Amino acid sequence: MTYVTSYWTDRQRIRRELLTRWDDKKLDAYENYIDRVRAAVFLAVELYEHREGIRPSDDPEPQLNAELSQSIHLRGRAFERIMLLAGDDVIEAAHTLNAASREVDWQATGRTPGTLPDWRDRNRAVFRAINTFHEAARTDLGVSGTVTGDSHPERDLLLPPARRQR
């Protein structure tokens, strides 16, 4: 009986250690992916604002394009880790987030035409998709609570006050 109890206890301990190890890797992958998505969005915003004359950058446009391209590449690599480690709902949320962030990239680089309201709608869609990804990742990791809903109402983009006409 002692042998069976010892065997069962060791088996449960090893199973818990494996689950914890994979959860750590998932958390790292989820964190890295969101970080890469946000980095690409912020670079796209800088490029878009420079191209549209909203807020000129100190960096030339070719450099901004190169930085955005590199960031998109790193985001793609981070996405691949999601595909390897995540559950189905997280993978679907990542696909949705990828599509929304690509639309921001395309308008920033001029591949997709659009107005300033289109641009803002695309950015809102990205941040809604980030929240959806957060929810799916939290569920996958067994984290209680939510990042949306009654306790956490949806927030809009932080925009500077409109310029006054002179």
Side-chain angles (χ1 to χ4, degrees):
M1 191 63 151
T2 303
Y3 172 76
V4 170
T5 303
S6 180
Y7 171 78
W8 182 253
T9 303
D10 282 347
R11 185 174 167 176
Q12 291 296 356
R13 181 184 52 77
I14 291 169
R15 186 174 290 161
R16 268 192 312 278
E17 287 174 0
L18 285 174
L19 286 175
T20 301
R21 188 180 87 199
W22 285 114
D23 281 351
D24 287 345
K25 294 214 181 285
K26 283 182 178 183
L27 179 59
D28 290 344
Y30 298 166
E31 175 188 17
N32 185 47
Y33 177 62
I34 289 297
D35 187 48
R36 298 298 182 182
V37 167
R38 291 175 57 87
V41 168
F42 294 143
L43 287 169
V45 167
E46 184 177 6
L47 175 60
Y48 177 81
E49 289 178 346
H50 178 77
R51 287 183 70 245
E52 296 296 316
I54 296 170
R55 184 173 22 157
S57 174
D58 293 335
D59 299 326
E61 190 172 327
Q63 181 179 339
L64 295 173
N65 273 312
E67 288 173 5
L68 178 58
S69 180
Q70 177 65 17
S71 185
I72 291 168
H73 172 74
L74 293 173
R75 182 183 63 205
R77 289 184 58 198
F79 177 77
E80 293 303 321
R81 288 197 69 204
I82 299 299
M83 297 297 290
L84 290 171
L85 295 171
D88 292 341
D89 291 341
V90 177
I91 290 172
E92 284 307 310
H95 277 296
T96 301
L97 178 51
N98 247 11
S101 61
R102 289 303 295 167
E103 287 193 27
V104 168
D105 301 339
W106 293 333
Q107 187 170 348
T109 58
R111 290 185 186 123
T112 300
T115 62
L116 183 57
D118 295 335
W119 172 252
R120 289 181 176 157
D121 288 343
R122 287 184 171 116
N123 277 274
R124 285 181 180 102
V126 166
F127 287 102
R128 277 193 306 271
I130 286 173
N131 285 340
T132 301
F133 181 87
H134 282 148
E135 290 287 351
R138 289 169 63 92
T139 300
D140 191 41
L141 293 169
V143 176
S144 63
T146 64
V147 295
T148 59
D150 294 337
S151 298
H152 306 282
E154 187 171 324
R155 292 173 172 52
D156 201 3
L157 297 176
L158 297 175
L159 298 172
R163 293 183 184 161
R164 295 182 186 190
Q165 297 290 344
R166 293 185 188 235

